[in-house]
Amino acid sequence: MFSKILIANRGEIACRVIRTAKRLGIQTVAVYSEVDAGALHVRMADEAVLIGPAPSSQSYLKSDVILKAAQQTGAQAIHPGYGFLSENADFSKACKKAGIVFIGPSEKSINAMGLKDEAKAIMEKAGVPTVPGYKGANQEAKFLKEQADKIGYPVLIKAVAGGGGKGMRLVEKSADFLDLLGNCQREGKASFGNDHVLIEKYITKPRHIEMQVFGDTHGNVVHLFERDCSLQRRHQKVVEEAPAPGMTDKMRKAMGDAAVKAAEAIDYYGAGTIEFIVDTATNDFYFMEMNTRLQVEHPVTEMITGLDLVEWQLRVAAGEKLPLAQKDLSINGHAFEVRFYAEDPAQNFLPQTGPVRHFSYVLDDGMRVDTGIEAGDKVTSFYDPMIAKLIVWDKDRADAAAKMLHLLSATKLTGLNTNQEFLAAIFREKDFLKGDVDTGFIPRHEKTLMPADYGQPRVEELALACLYYALDLGAEETDDPWTAGGSWRSGVTPASRIVELSVRDQNFAVKLSVQGRTIRSADFEASLAACADGHIEALVNGHRIAAGIVADGKALSIFHQGRVVHMHPKMHDADDDHGASNGRIVTPMPGRVVSILVKKGESVEKGQPLLIMESMKVEITIRAGCAGRVEDLSVAVNDQLPDGALLAQIAAKE
Ligand code: MV4
């Protein structure tokens, strides 16, 4: 076994590899770009080498710089993780030439799977089922159209060098073929430098089921069962699980045998994945592509097999035989993984960048979080905005799904918008819980998974926030002037307060009467039960509500059953005067003038009501801040005014 390895990656996968290396007593060398100088993977490793500026083309993709770092630190092997150099045949070759072990397959295996048509030909020859179609050398438009007509529509045109959903065109009818072909060829040329295409029968409602395979350098190959990765959005995986729902022993055996044959056909060693699409109409499965790396979703396989796949990678790379034979492998229970992202489903999944202010989760039995991020770290636009992988295991699918909802509910992150609520919504969806998954699941359930009010509070969450502010629960944690006074805290007599909360671009104003630990508004009555250690419990309209709570400067975040609401408050004391003692009366919040109670020129006493305003269905009395004469009163009933607009000016009495 190696005594020192270098990890040519960052984030959660670098941390994941380091964890296993440590357990096996192997020293670790991290590499990092300038923006990653303080990153978790750097802190976890025994040594770290700076390899260049933030853009990956100048750092994590610099194979020569990384190889030199390995040589200089005395690392005997390089683990590439996923992405970056993991499927770069030239890098695998360069490592070998430099006398450093590439922890992954040979240059030859990587190259064999690089182009779709060649990979497909190899698989066909090995007896692995492939989608009916044409993948030959003749690339003449007229000929390809004849082939498509023969296959029957709909057909899919795929650029042979395409990947990740790029370079594909769906053709519904013969008349559209030539246009879309030209389109696909141009994209292939521009994106991948290769305009060759293949034509396939289009599978209308497929599932993505992949088999994990492992080979060693002694000619042994096993499969570690399947993962279902059908839940994808724009070719990005969202949820992965093992085993696949509804998989029969017979089909598993057929897919497993095909996967082993596929790996054997290219003398594969190391961790690999054979991706199939399964036609839900017939349960026929077809080879799609092979990924010659450890995949993001490998943890679900680890959870159901009890194995450490990184340990297997290291053993195989060190020349050992596979630790187990096929007959020794079995599935235990069910596992899910979700990809927790800094992206905003309310803005078409726009990646979010910036510092993570708070990040915590509660791990119970059968829960695992793989992450490379801690509070204080920044998510930048240089790399993938994945924050963590949340992974659960339980004895069956239903229990595992329930456990994932628990883990999602107990995960708190502030500073950035995330897809947390989107993920939780999937685990509440009836079809998902039934195991009714295919690649169209997310688009089909768009309305419930990405609702128009994503990230907006429900009445319970508003009530919790109002409790927090109206009862001054953060007083100990903050010295904000508006909470420091504490004058409303334990008031024996009911006091009237207005809590104004802005959430994303929405404003909510809630008029409350506060008595002891109970608050009442038009929509709810809420009593505080407890609030400590990032947790709040209350009775809201007769229901007991428990939620996570993170107060962060002037922001408050509520984490309730997987829903996440980040709020920014503004406080108003409904009965106090809103007029400054200098006589300048301004609107305390945006709103409409309901009535005007005084006239210009009139003398008023301090505290006398001047106007009534309405803001978000809440009425506010505006009072004189000092005694004097009303000078400027330029507003009219029904005027809609912004925050801070001048309502009146009082000339103070001497
Ligand atoms: C297909 C297909 C239907 N029919 N091929 C998408 C990316 C690449 N890995 C293969 N892909 C597909 N190939 C035929 N003949 C549908 C897809 C597909 C898909 C596959 C797996 C997971 C999600 C997908 C989403 C859309 C389309």
Side-chain angles (χ1 to χ4, degrees):
M1 184 44 73
F2 312 112
S3 56
K4 192 190 261 191
I5 63 168
L6 180 144
I7 299 97
N9 214 302
R10 63 180 302 285
E12 70 87 16
I13 193 61
C15 298
R16 162 74 193 86
V17 173
I18 293 170
R19 197 174 343 115
T20 290
K22 281 193 172 183
R23 188 170 60 74
L24 299 177
I26 301 168
Q27 295 278 303
T28 53
V29 182
V31 294
Y32 64 98
S33 70
E34 281 163 11
V35 283
D36 278 343
L40 190 58
H41 78 280
V42 174
R43 284 177 275 148
M44 277 177 74
D46 297 304
E47 292 168 66
V49 182
L50 175 66
I51 51 170
S56 40
S57 60
Q58 296 172 52
S59 50
Y60 296 104
L61 287 171
K62 279 270 182 200
S63 49
D64 50 339
V65 178
I66 290 170
L67 258 178
K68 211 168 81 200
Q71 286 167 327
Q72 281 169 351
T73 54
Q76 300 138 330
I78 297 180
H79 195 302
Y82 51 72
F84 297 132
L85 296 168
S86 63
E87 295 182 276
N88 185 316
D90 293 339
F91 185 61
S92 174
K93 184 177 165 189
C95 286
K96 191 167 190 163
K97 207 170 141 218
I100 287 173
V101 177
F102 176 73
I103 304 171
S106 67
E107 173 207 4
K108 202 175 123 253
S109 297
I110 297 174
N111 274 333
M113 294 296 111
L115 293 174
K116 285 188 199 299
D117 53 346
E118 291 171 14
K120 204 171 165 180
I122 294 169
M123 293 308 155
E124 244 169 50
K125 199 165 149 234
V128 177
T130 59
V131 186
Y134 175 78
K135 58 168 192 316
N138 191 340
Q139 294 287 310
E140 273 175 81
K142 187 167 161 282
F143 175 80
L144 290 173
K145 183 165 179 294
E146 280 164 19
Q147 295 303 311
D149 291 345
K150 214 156 74 186
I151 295 162
Y153 295 88
V155 301
L156 206 52
I157 310 173
K158 296 182 177 178
V160 298
K166 275 193 99 182
M168 294 200 310
R169 292 294 181 281
L170 172 62
V171 189
E172 310 266 10
K173 54 185 196 294
S174 185
D176 300 341
F177 185 85
L178 290 175
D179 276 356
L180 289 163
L181 172 68
N183 226 288
C184 190
Q185 287 169 326
R186 282 188 294 277
E187 183 176 334
K189 189 85 198 160
S191 301
F192 319 106
N194 184 338
D195 63 4
H196 276 226
V197 300
L198 53 81
I199 318 285
E200 285 184 354
K201 171 125 206 76
Y202 179 66
I203 313 289
T204 316
K205 199 179 172 190
R207 280 170 72 178
H208 170 132
I209 301 182
E210 57 187 35
M211 300 294 299
Q212 174 72 54
V213 293
F214 240 103
D216 63 22
T217 49
H218 306 272
N220 304 299
V221 179
V222 297
H223 72 84
L224 302 177
F225 315 107
E226 78 280 4
R227 295 183 286 257
D228 190 311
C229 310
S230 297
L231 262 61
Q232 306 197 5
R233 191 191 157 271
R234 309 242 166 111
H235 303 290
Q236 297 277 8
K237 290 173 187 165
V238 176
V239 177
E240 300 108 340
E241 62 179 305
M247 178 68 90
T248 61
D249 288 342
K250 188 168 162 238
M251 185 164 168
R252 177 173 295 126
K253 169 127 184 29
M255 289 182 81
D257 287 349
V260 168
K261 268 195 286 187
E264 282 171 346
I266 56 166
D267 301 320
Y268 198 77
Y269 56 79
T273 299
I274 316 291
E275 184 187 315
F276 294 100
I277 60 172
V278 176
D279 188 339
T280 53
T282 59
N283 270 346
D284 288 335
F285 63 88
Y286 306 101
F287 170 85
M288 276 282 111
E289 48 195 71
M290 178 172 187
N291 299 315
T292 53
R293 61 169 188 272
L294 184 72
Q295 298 211 161
V296 176
E297 59 272 27
H298 76 276
V300 293
T301 300
E302 296 186 320
M303 298 299 259
I304 61 154
T305 58
L307 302 171
D308 179 335
L309 298 197
V310 174
E311 178 182 343
W312 277 42
Q313 284 189 294
L314 293 169
R315 294 197 180 286
V316 165
E320 293 183 24
K321 287 189 173 164
L322 288 178
L324 295 173
Q326 194 68 56
K327 64 172 175 34
D328 302 320
L329 293 160
S330 61
I331 296 176
N332 177 27
H334 201 99
F336 284 107
E337 172 180 287
V338 297
R339 299 190 186 189
F340 183 38
Y341 263 85
E343 63 185 12
D344 189 2
Q347 299 175 68
N348 200 23
F349 292 81
L350 188 71
Q352 306 288 295
T353 57
V356 172
R357 312 248 331 182
H358 173 103
F359 181 31
S360 65
Y361 41 86
V362 182
L363 291 183
D364 210 335
D365 283 353
M367 294 178 176
R368 163 175 165 187
V369 172
D370 281 15
T371 185
I373 283 188
E374 291 181 326
D377 291 346
K378 259 202 189 102
V379 177
T380 72
S381 56
F382 294 110
Y383 316 112
D384 184 77
M386 189 167 77
I387 296 160
K389 305 186 306 205
L390 311 187
I391 304 135
V392 298
W393 176 93
D394 214 313
K395 63 182 193 307
D396 58 36
R397 189 173 187 271
D399 287 359
K403 195 173 267 185
M404 181 61 85
L405 263 183
H406 275 122
L407 179 54
L408 279 166
S409 305
T411 298
K412 298 188 279 193
L413 184 137
T414 70
L416 297 167
N417 289 320
T418 73
N419 65 343
Q420 186 167 0
E421 196 172 330
F422 167 68
L423 297 172
I426 292 171
F427 282 80
R428 291 212 170 82
E429 197 58 62
K430 232 179 32 240
D431 288 347
F432 176 77
L433 297 174
K434 278 196 302 196
D436 195 0
V437 294
D438 65 85
T439 59
F441 180 91
I442 289 175
R444 234 180 4 258
H445 293 87
E446 184 173 37
K447 289 255 159 14
T448 41
L449 302 178
M450 302 93 100
D453 64 350
Y454 189 93
Q456 295 291 348
R458 297 197 180 143
V459 67
E460 308 92 283
E461 290 128 15
L462 273 182
L464 294 179
C466 288
L467 278 171
Y468 189 86
Y469 289 113
L471 303 186
D472 237 359
L473 301 177
E476 287 89 60
E477 300 158 22
T478 168
D479 48 17
D480 284 350
W482 49 271
T483 53
S487 57
W488 330 311
R489 286 194 82 184
S490 51
V492 183
T493 52
S496 186
R497 311 284 163 227
I498 294 168
V499 176
E500 188 189 352
L501 294 162
S502 71
V503 185
R504 293 167 176 269
D505 49 5
Q506 295 259 108
N507 267 290
F508 300 85
V510 186
K511 187 173 187 175
L512 298 164
S513 85
V514 183
Q515 187 159 33
R517 310 189 105 197
T518 299
I519 61 176
R520 290 181 187 82
S521 81
D523 298 322
F524 59 79
E525 176 176 309
S527 302
L528 182 72
C531 182
D533 304 327
H535 191 80
I536 185 166
E537 274 182 59
L539 206 62
V540 180
N541 291 341
H543 297 284
R544 196 161 192 89
I545 306 287
I549 189 163
V550 176
D552 178 5
K554 288 221 163 183
L556 184 74
S557 302
I558 303 270
F559 301 87
H560 178 223
Q561 299 179 345
R563 295 170 42 72
V564 181
V565 189
H566 303 295
M567 296 177 264
H568 294 266
K570 241 168 124 187
M571 297 296 296
H572 307 281
D573 199 330
D575 286 346
D576 274 5
D577 62 65
H578 288 282
S581 51
N582 67 5
R584 197 180 141 78
I585 315 284
V586 298
T587 55
M589 58 178 96
R592 184 178 65 89
V593 177
V594 175
S595 59
I596 299 171
L597 310 170
V598 293
K599 289 197 180 67
K600 195 170 168 179
E602 194 177 322
S603 283
V604 295
E605 293 306 311
K606 181 175 179 190
Q608 182 176 333
L610 305 174
L611 309 98
I612 311 276
M613 285 193 65
E614 187 228 54
S615 180
M616 294 161 267
K617 293 185 207 137
V618 169
E619 285 202 351
I620 315 155
T621 307
I622 311 291
R623 294 165 193 272
C626 59
R629 214 166 57 84
V630 178
E631 296 240 291
D632 196 359
L633 183 66
S634 47
V635 296
V637 169
N638 275 333
D639 278 2
Q640 194 68 47
L641 301 168
D643 192 9
L646 184 70
L647 289 165
Q649 180 72 50
I650 297 173
K653 205 154 63 185
E654 305 298 287

PDB file of all heavy atoms in Angstrom, residues 5 13 16-18 20-21 24 79 103 214 294 298 302 307-315:
ATOM      1  N   ILE A   5      -0.165   9.817  -0.748  1.00  0.00           N
ATOM      2  CA  ILE A   5      -0.836  10.088  -2.027  1.00  0.00           C
ATOM      3  C   ILE A   5      -1.153  11.580  -2.141  1.00  0.00           C
ATOM      4  O   ILE A   5      -1.258  12.282  -1.130  1.00  0.00           O
ATOM      5  CB  ILE A   5      -2.152   9.281  -2.199  1.00  0.00           C
ATOM      6  CG1 ILE A   5      -3.187   9.659  -1.133  1.00  0.00           C
ATOM      7  CG2 ILE A   5      -1.875   7.781  -2.191  1.00  0.00           C
ATOM      8  CD1 ILE A   5      -4.594   9.130  -1.402  1.00  0.00           C
ATOM      9  N   ILE A  13     -15.040  15.937  -2.457  1.00  0.00           N
ATOM     10  CA  ILE A  13     -14.431  14.677  -2.889  1.00  0.00           C
ATOM     11  C   ILE A  13     -12.981  14.592  -2.415  1.00  0.00           C
ATOM     12  O   ILE A  13     -12.497  13.518  -2.046  1.00  0.00           O
ATOM     13  CB  ILE A  13     -14.584  14.421  -4.414  1.00  0.00           C
ATOM     14  CG1 ILE A  13     -14.240  12.972  -4.762  1.00  0.00           C
ATOM     15  CG2 ILE A  13     -13.781  15.414  -5.238  1.00  0.00           C
ATOM     16  CD1 ILE A  13     -15.108  11.906  -4.102  1.00  0.00           C
ATOM     17  N   ARG A  16     -13.291  13.626   1.103  1.00  0.00           N
ATOM     18  CA  ARG A  16     -13.734  12.224   1.157  1.00  0.00           C
ATOM     19  C   ARG A  16     -12.549  11.272   0.983  1.00  0.00           C
ATOM     20  O   ARG A  16     -12.406  10.279   1.698  1.00  0.00           O
ATOM     21  CB  ARG A  16     -14.790  12.001   0.057  1.00  0.00           C
ATOM     22  CG  ARG A  16     -15.069  10.566  -0.356  1.00  0.00           C
ATOM     23  CD  ARG A  16     -15.869   9.843   0.713  1.00  0.00           C
ATOM     24  NE  ARG A  16     -15.911   8.402   0.513  1.00  0.00           N
ATOM     25  CZ  ARG A  16     -14.990   7.560   0.949  1.00  0.00           C
ATOM     26  NH1 ARG A  16     -13.922   8.004   1.614  1.00  0.00           N
ATOM     27  NH2 ARG A  16     -15.111   6.270   0.752  1.00  0.00           N
ATOM     28  N   VAL A  17     -11.678  11.568   0.012  1.00  0.00           N
ATOM     29  CA  VAL A  17     -10.519  10.709  -0.251  1.00  0.00           C
ATOM     30  C   VAL A  17      -9.535  10.784   0.917  1.00  0.00           C
ATOM     31  O   VAL A  17      -9.009   9.763   1.380  1.00  0.00           O
ATOM     32  CB  VAL A  17      -9.839  11.095  -1.590  1.00  0.00           C
ATOM     33  CG1 VAL A  17      -8.535  10.335  -1.783  1.00  0.00           C
ATOM     34  CG2 VAL A  17     -10.788  10.844  -2.769  1.00  0.00           C
ATOM     35  N   ILE A  18      -9.335  11.987   1.443  1.00  0.00           N
ATOM     36  CA  ILE A  18      -8.407  12.162   2.563  1.00  0.00           C
ATOM     37  C   ILE A  18      -8.867  11.345   3.772  1.00  0.00           C
ATOM     38  O   ILE A  18      -8.066  10.721   4.470  1.00  0.00           O
ATOM     39  CB  ILE A  18      -8.250  13.662   2.925  1.00  0.00           C
ATOM     40  CG1 ILE A  18      -7.551  14.412   1.779  1.00  0.00           C
ATOM     41  CG2 ILE A  18      -7.480  13.839   4.236  1.00  0.00           C
ATOM     42  CD1 ILE A  18      -7.550  15.931   1.910  1.00  0.00           C
ATOM     43  N   THR A  20     -10.472   8.479   3.949  1.00  0.00           N
ATOM     44  CA  THR A  20     -10.109   7.063   3.835  1.00  0.00           C
ATOM     45  C   THR A  20      -8.597   6.879   3.929  1.00  0.00           C
ATOM     46  O   THR A  20      -8.115   5.964   4.595  1.00  0.00           O
ATOM     47  CB  THR A  20     -10.659   6.473   2.522  1.00  0.00           C
ATOM     48  OG1 THR A  20     -12.076   6.397   2.628  1.00  0.00           O
ATOM     49  CG2 THR A  20     -10.099   5.093   2.253  1.00  0.00           C
ATOM     50  N   ALA A  21      -7.852   7.777   3.297  1.00  0.00           N
ATOM     51  CA  ALA A  21      -6.392   7.677   3.358  1.00  0.00           C
ATOM     52  C   ALA A  21      -5.922   7.713   4.815  1.00  0.00           C
ATOM     53  O   ALA A  21      -5.102   6.900   5.242  1.00  0.00           O
ATOM     54  CB  ALA A  21      -5.763   8.810   2.553  1.00  0.00           C
ATOM     55  N   LEU A  24      -6.434   4.543   6.613  1.00  0.00           N
ATOM     56  CA  LEU A  24      -5.506   3.490   6.199  1.00  0.00           C
ATOM     57  C   LEU A  24      -4.050   3.849   6.525  1.00  0.00           C
ATOM     58  O   LEU A  24      -3.124   3.148   6.126  1.00  0.00           O
ATOM     59  CB  LEU A  24      -5.654   3.228   4.695  1.00  0.00           C
ATOM     60  CG  LEU A  24      -7.039   2.746   4.231  1.00  0.00           C
ATOM     61  CD1 LEU A  24      -7.072   2.589   2.722  1.00  0.00           C
ATOM     62  CD2 LEU A  24      -7.426   1.438   4.912  1.00  0.00           C
ATOM     63  N   HIS A  79      -4.805  10.626  -6.662  1.00  0.00           N
ATOM     64  CA  HIS A  79      -6.242  10.373  -6.782  1.00  0.00           C
ATOM     65  C   HIS A  79      -6.882  11.594  -7.441  1.00  0.00           C
ATOM     66  O   HIS A  79      -6.794  12.694  -6.912  1.00  0.00           O
ATOM     67  CB  HIS A  79      -6.877  10.117  -5.409  1.00  0.00           C
ATOM     68  CG  HIS A  79      -8.247   9.520  -5.518  1.00  0.00           C
ATOM     69  ND1 HIS A  79      -9.271  10.144  -6.201  1.00  0.00           N
ATOM     70  CD2 HIS A  79      -8.751   8.334  -5.069  1.00  0.00           C
ATOM     71  CE1 HIS A  79     -10.352   9.365  -6.150  1.00  0.00           C
ATOM     72  NE2 HIS A  79     -10.067   8.263  -5.476  1.00  0.00           N
ATOM     73  N   ILE A 103      -4.626   6.830  -9.740  1.00  0.00           N
ATOM     74  CA  ILE A 103      -5.648   6.015  -9.067  1.00  0.00           C
ATOM     75  C   ILE A 103      -6.918   6.087  -9.900  1.00  0.00           C
ATOM     76  O   ILE A 103      -7.813   6.893  -9.666  1.00  0.00           O
ATOM     77  CB  ILE A 103      -5.857   6.458  -7.605  1.00  0.00           C
ATOM     78  CG1 ILE A 103      -4.507   6.394  -6.871  1.00  0.00           C
ATOM     79  CG2 ILE A 103      -6.900   5.561  -6.915  1.00  0.00           C
ATOM     80  CD1 ILE A 103      -4.514   7.006  -5.488  1.00  0.00           C
ATOM     81  N   PHE A 214     -16.179  -2.660 -10.604  1.00  0.00           N
ATOM     82  CA  PHE A 214     -14.820  -2.557 -10.078  1.00  0.00           C
ATOM     83  C   PHE A 214     -13.978  -3.646 -10.704  1.00  0.00           C
ATOM     84  O   PHE A 214     -14.415  -4.797 -10.783  1.00  0.00           O
ATOM     85  CB  PHE A 214     -14.822  -2.737  -8.547  1.00  0.00           C
ATOM     86  CG  PHE A 214     -14.272  -1.540  -7.834  1.00  0.00           C
ATOM     87  CD1 PHE A 214     -15.120  -0.643  -7.212  1.00  0.00           C
ATOM     88  CD2 PHE A 214     -12.909  -1.313  -7.803  1.00  0.00           C
ATOM     89  CE1 PHE A 214     -14.626   0.486  -6.568  1.00  0.00           C
ATOM     90  CE2 PHE A 214     -12.406  -0.184  -7.159  1.00  0.00           C
ATOM     91  CZ  PHE A 214     -13.263   0.718  -6.541  1.00  0.00           C
ATOM     92  N   LEU A 294     -14.548   7.464 -10.157  1.00  0.00           N
ATOM     93  CA  LEU A 294     -15.419   7.336  -9.000  1.00  0.00           C
ATOM     94  C   LEU A 294     -16.477   8.427  -9.154  1.00  0.00           C
ATOM     95  O   LEU A 294     -16.140   9.579  -9.381  1.00  0.00           O
ATOM     96  CB  LEU A 294     -14.614   7.573  -7.719  1.00  0.00           C
ATOM     97  CG  LEU A 294     -15.382   7.386  -6.407  1.00  0.00           C
ATOM     98  CD1 LEU A 294     -15.659   5.914  -6.171  1.00  0.00           C
ATOM     99  CD2 LEU A 294     -14.607   7.967  -5.230  1.00  0.00           C
ATOM    100  N   HIS A 298     -21.278   7.786  -5.494  1.00  0.00           N
ATOM    101  CA  HIS A 298     -20.786   6.503  -4.976  1.00  0.00           C
ATOM    102  C   HIS A 298     -21.224   6.202  -3.534  1.00  0.00           C
ATOM    103  O   HIS A 298     -21.336   5.041  -3.172  1.00  0.00           O
ATOM    104  CB  HIS A 298     -19.253   6.416  -5.107  1.00  0.00           C
ATOM    105  CG  HIS A 298     -18.521   7.225  -4.083  1.00  0.00           C
ATOM    106  ND1 HIS A 298     -18.281   8.573  -4.240  1.00  0.00           N
ATOM    107  CD2 HIS A 298     -18.015   6.898  -2.868  1.00  0.00           C
ATOM    108  CE1 HIS A 298     -17.649   9.023  -3.165  1.00  0.00           C
ATOM    109  NE2 HIS A 298     -17.474   8.028  -2.325  1.00  0.00           N
ATOM    110  N   GLU A 302     -21.936   2.640  -1.279  1.00  0.00           N
ATOM    111  CA  GLU A 302     -21.223   2.313  -0.035  1.00  0.00           C
ATOM    112  C   GLU A 302     -22.204   1.989   1.087  1.00  0.00           C
ATOM    113  O   GLU A 302     -21.980   1.075   1.888  1.00  0.00           O
ATOM    114  CB  GLU A 302     -20.325   3.490   0.375  1.00  0.00           C
ATOM    115  CG  GLU A 302     -19.224   3.761  -0.635  1.00  0.00           C
ATOM    116  CD  GLU A 302     -18.230   4.820  -0.188  1.00  0.00           C
ATOM    117  OE1 GLU A 302     -18.658   5.837   0.413  1.00  0.00           O
ATOM    118  OE2 GLU A 302     -17.038   4.638  -0.437  1.00  0.00           O
ATOM    119  N   LEU A 307     -19.272  -1.050   2.083  1.00  0.00           N
ATOM    120  CA  LEU A 307     -17.876  -0.990   1.633  1.00  0.00           C
ATOM    121  C   LEU A 307     -17.408   0.449   1.500  1.00  0.00           C
ATOM    122  O   LEU A 307     -18.215   1.363   1.398  1.00  0.00           O
ATOM    123  CB  LEU A 307     -17.753  -1.676   0.273  1.00  0.00           C
ATOM    124  CG  LEU A 307     -18.194  -3.139   0.234  1.00  0.00           C
ATOM    125  CD1 LEU A 307     -18.237  -3.639  -1.203  1.00  0.00           C
ATOM    126  CD2 LEU A 307     -17.255  -4.006   1.075  1.00  0.00           C
ATOM    127  N   ASP A 308     -16.081   0.610   1.477  1.00  0.00           N
ATOM    128  CA  ASP A 308     -15.475   1.921   1.238  1.00  0.00           C
ATOM    129  C   ASP A 308     -14.852   1.871  -0.153  1.00  0.00           C
ATOM    130  O   ASP A 308     -13.825   1.224  -0.366  1.00  0.00           O
ATOM    131  CB  ASP A 308     -14.418   2.171   2.324  1.00  0.00           C
ATOM    132  CG  ASP A 308     -13.704   3.504   2.157  1.00  0.00           C
ATOM    133  OD1 ASP A 308     -13.648   4.024   1.021  1.00  0.00           O
ATOM    134  OD2 ASP A 308     -13.182   4.025   3.157  1.00  0.00           O
ATOM    135  N   LEU A 309     -15.472   2.513  -1.107  1.00  0.00           N
ATOM    136  CA  LEU A 309     -15.012   2.408  -2.497  1.00  0.00           C
ATOM    137  C   LEU A 309     -13.672   3.104  -2.723  1.00  0.00           C
ATOM    138  O   LEU A 309     -12.918   2.715  -3.622  1.00  0.00           O
ATOM    139  CB  LEU A 309     -16.070   2.953  -3.465  1.00  0.00           C
ATOM    140  CG  LEU A 309     -17.424   2.235  -3.490  1.00  0.00           C
ATOM    141  CD1 LEU A 309     -18.193   2.610  -4.745  1.00  0.00           C
ATOM    142  CD2 LEU A 309     -17.286   0.734  -3.392  1.00  0.00           C
ATOM    143  N   VAL A 310     -13.376   4.111  -1.925  1.00  0.00           N
ATOM    144  CA  VAL A 310     -12.066   4.760  -2.063  1.00  0.00           C
ATOM    145  C   VAL A 310     -10.975   3.788  -1.594  1.00  0.00           C
ATOM    146  O   VAL A 310      -9.915   3.684  -2.220  1.00  0.00           O
ATOM    147  CB  VAL A 310     -12.026   6.104  -1.302  1.00  0.00           C
ATOM    148  CG1 VAL A 310     -10.622   6.696  -1.318  1.00  0.00           C
ATOM    149  CG2 VAL A 310     -13.017   7.090  -1.922  1.00  0.00           C
ATOM    150  N   GLU A 311     -11.279   3.024  -0.545  1.00  0.00           N
ATOM    151  CA  GLU A 311     -10.324   2.002  -0.095  1.00  0.00           C
ATOM    152  C   GLU A 311     -10.089   0.978  -1.216  1.00  0.00           C
ATOM    153  O   GLU A 311      -8.942   0.616  -1.512  1.00  0.00           O
ATOM    154  CB  GLU A 311     -10.847   1.295   1.158  1.00  0.00           C
ATOM    155  CG  GLU A 311      -9.907   0.193   1.624  1.00  0.00           C
ATOM    156  CD  GLU A 311     -10.419  -0.573   2.836  1.00  0.00           C
ATOM    157  OE1 GLU A 311     -11.334  -0.071   3.521  1.00  0.00           O
ATOM    158  OE2 GLU A 311      -9.902  -1.675   3.083  1.00  0.00           O
ATOM    159  N   TRP A 312     -11.161   0.570  -1.864  1.00  0.00           N
ATOM    160  CA  TRP A 312     -11.015  -0.375  -2.990  1.00  0.00           C
ATOM    161  C   TRP A 312     -10.162   0.241  -4.096  1.00  0.00           C
ATOM    162  O   TRP A 312      -9.303  -0.422  -4.681  1.00  0.00           O
ATOM    163  CB  TRP A 312     -12.396  -0.763  -3.546  1.00  0.00           C
ATOM    164  CG  TRP A 312     -13.084  -1.860  -2.776  1.00  0.00           C
ATOM    165  CD1 TRP A 312     -13.144  -1.997  -1.422  1.00  0.00           C
ATOM    166  CD2 TRP A 312     -13.803  -2.976  -3.336  1.00  0.00           C
ATOM    167  NE1 TRP A 312     -13.871  -3.119  -1.092  1.00  0.00           N
ATOM    168  CE2 TRP A 312     -14.295  -3.739  -2.248  1.00  0.00           C
ATOM    169  CE3 TRP A 312     -14.117  -3.392  -4.634  1.00  0.00           C
ATOM    170  CZ2 TRP A 312     -15.057  -4.905  -2.429  1.00  0.00           C
ATOM    171  CZ3 TRP A 312     -14.881  -4.545  -4.813  1.00  0.00           C
ATOM    172  CH2 TRP A 312     -15.338  -5.298  -3.715  1.00  0.00           C
ATOM    173  N   GLN A 313     -10.395   1.508  -4.388  1.00  0.00           N
ATOM    174  CA  GLN A 313      -9.597   2.174  -5.433  1.00  0.00           C
ATOM    175  C   GLN A 313      -8.107   2.146  -5.079  1.00  0.00           C
ATOM    176  O   GLN A 313      -7.262   1.864  -5.928  1.00  0.00           O
ATOM    177  CB  GLN A 313     -10.014   3.635  -5.582  1.00  0.00           C
ATOM    178  CG  GLN A 313     -11.320   3.861  -6.314  1.00  0.00           C
ATOM    179  CD  GLN A 313     -11.504   5.348  -6.593  1.00  0.00           C
ATOM    180  OE1 GLN A 313     -11.658   6.146  -5.672  1.00  0.00           O
ATOM    181  NE2 GLN A 313     -11.482   5.723  -7.862  1.00  0.00           N
ATOM    182  N   LEU A 314      -7.822   2.443  -3.811  1.00  0.00           N
ATOM    183  CA  LEU A 314      -6.424   2.491  -3.382  1.00  0.00           C
ATOM    184  C   LEU A 314      -5.795   1.100  -3.459  1.00  0.00           C
ATOM    185  O   LEU A 314      -4.657   0.944  -3.906  1.00  0.00           O
ATOM    186  CB  LEU A 314      -6.328   3.053  -1.955  1.00  0.00           C
ATOM    187  CG  LEU A 314      -6.715   4.529  -1.821  1.00  0.00           C
ATOM    188  CD1 LEU A 314      -6.862   4.933  -0.359  1.00  0.00           C
ATOM    189  CD2 LEU A 314      -5.670   5.418  -2.492  1.00  0.00           C
ATOM    190  N   ARG A 315      -6.566   0.076  -3.036  1.00  0.00           N
ATOM    191  CA  ARG A 315      -6.024  -1.290  -3.063  1.00  0.00           C
ATOM    192  C   ARG A 315      -5.754  -1.738  -4.497  1.00  0.00           C
ATOM    193  O   ARG A 315      -4.697  -2.310  -4.794  1.00  0.00           O
ATOM    194  CB  ARG A 315      -6.995  -2.265  -2.374  1.00  0.00           C
ATOM    195  CG  ARG A 315      -7.125  -1.991  -0.880  1.00  0.00           C
ATOM    196  CD  ARG A 315      -7.725  -3.155  -0.120  1.00  0.00           C
ATOM    197  NE  ARG A 315      -7.823  -2.826   1.296  1.00  0.00           N
ATOM    198  CZ  ARG A 315      -6.787  -2.773   2.140  1.00  0.00           C
ATOM    199  NH1 ARG A 315      -5.560  -3.058   1.704  1.00  0.00           N
ATOM    200  NH2 ARG A 315      -6.967  -2.442   3.399  1.00  0.00           N
TER     201      ARG A 315
END
